[in-house]
């Protein structure tokens, strides 16, 4: 609260100011998400203008989640580096099993019964 008070003065936020702050944060998160997904497509050599089959879409979701959780820059990673990270997560215990379950849930939510997924479906 001190940082906000220091930066924005002693007054409380008005509703429009709070809405602007929330929209700004949402925009930043969405931009980072898209950048990470573009990096995921790049490293796997997926074409953003075509659809992905189920196995490819699941690989994209898995790689995206790993890069997010392990906090590595997928935009600069090579396929070999990504595979090394993936090998580490496959050896791990209950945490990564829970992540894999979450990935399956995300795929089901995103796919909604579709056989092929396009970039906007995953974004």
């Amino acid at each position: 609260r001190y940082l906000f008070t220091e930066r924005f003065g002693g007054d409380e936020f008005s509703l429009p100011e709070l809405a602007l702050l929330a929209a700004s944060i949402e925009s930043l998160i969405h931009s980072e998400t898209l950048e990470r997904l573009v990096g995921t497509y790049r490293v796997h050599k997926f074409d953003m203008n075509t659809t992905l089959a189920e196995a490819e879409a699941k690989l994209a979701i898995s790689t995206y989640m790993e890069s997010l959780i392990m906090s590595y820059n997928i935009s600069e990673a090579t396929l070999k580096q990504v595979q090394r990270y993936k090998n580490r997560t496959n050896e791990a215990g209950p945490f990564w099993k829970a992540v894999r379950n979450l990935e399956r849930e995300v795929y089901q939510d995103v796919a909604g019964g579709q056989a092929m997924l396009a970039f906007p479906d995953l974004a």
Side-chain angles (χ1 to χ4, degrees):
R1 183 172 176 110
Y2 171 76
L3 292 175
F4 282 114
T5 303
E6 184 69 23
R7 176 70 175 106
F8 297 108
D11 298 331
E12 297 292 323
F13 283 111
S14 68
L15 188 56
E17 290 170 329
L18 189 57
L20 179 62
L21 177 62
S24 297
I25 291 170
E26 181 182 15
S27 178
L28 288 171
I29 291 169
H30 186 68
S31 294
E32 181 182 339
T33 300
L34 285 177
E35 182 179 321
R36 193 174 295 273
L37 187 57
V38 167
T40 299
Y41 267 64
R42 180 198 56 79
V43 80
H44 289 297
K45 296 183 168 85
F46 295 151
D47 184 349
M48 292 190 312
N49 297 312
T50 61
T51 57
L52 300 181
E54 179 179 343
E56 294 170 323
K58 286 180 176 179
L59 178 60
I61 292 168
S62 176
T63 301
Y64 174 92
M65 294 289 283
E66 290 163 2
S67 73
L68 182 66
I69 292 168
M70 297 177 83
S71 193
Y72 68 86
N73 188 347
I74 188 71
S75 297
E76 296 179 2
T78 65
L79 182 58
K80 190 172 184 174
Q81 290 168 323
V82 169
Q83 288 169 334
R84 261 190 255 131
Y85 283 118
K86 193 169 286 299
N87 288 340
R88 283 190 222 155
T89 64
N90 288 337
E91 297 168 3
F95 174 77
W96 285 103
K97 287 180 183 175
V99 170
R100 298 296 178 237
N101 287 336
L102 178 60
E103 289 169 4
R104 282 190 284 279
E105 289 177 26
V106 167
Y107 176 79
Q108 293 301 321
D109 288 346
V110 169
Q114 297 179 64
M116 305 291 283
L117 296 176
F119 183 86
D121 297 324
L122 293 172

